[in-house]
Amino acid sequence: MADRTAPDVLRDAADALALAERALAEIINQPGRGRVAGIRNLPVWGRIVTQTIENLRTVVSRDVFNRWWAPWQAQLRDDP
C-alpha cells in the first residue's frame, strides 16, 4: 500500500462530510420514519469525519498536527 498523502486524507474527510450532510438533509426533509436513517447515520458519519481528519497525524508531524487540532478538538468537545 502506498503512503497516503494529506490530499488523500482530506478527500476522505470530505467524502465522509458529504455523507454526514446527506444524513442531516434526511433528518430535515424526510417525514416521519423516513428520518430514522438520517438520525442514525448523522452521528456515525460526523465521528468518521473527525477520525479521518485525525489520520493527518500520520502524514504530517504529530506535534504540528496536535497544535493545529487542539483548538478544534476543544471546540468540538465543548459544543453540546
Side-chain angles (χ1 to χ4, degrees):
M1 176 186 238
D3 290 334
R4 291 175 44 88
T5 64
D8 294 333
V9 174
L10 293 174
R11 186 174 35 257
D12 290 347
D15 291 345
L17 179 59
L19 290 166
E21 290 170 336
R22 182 175 175 180
L24 178 59
E26 289 174 354
I27 293 169
I28 293 169
N29 299 321
Q30 295 295 320
R33 294 208 39 89
R35 298 173 39 181
V36 173
I39 291 169
R40 290 179 176 160
N41 286 325
L42 181 59
V44 171
W45 285 108
R47 180 61 182 127
I48 289 171
V49 171
T50 59
Q51 288 174 324
T52 303
I53 290 170
E54 289 173 348
N55 288 332
L56 286 170
R57 276 192 186 101
T58 63
V59 177
V60 299
S61 161
R62 182 176 289 275
D63 291 336
V64 169
F65 176 83
N66 287 340
R67 281 194 304 272
W68 172 81
W69 185 240
W72 294 104
Q73 191 175 35
Q75 183 179 352
L76 291 169
R77 181 180 52 246
D78 295 340
D79 184 354

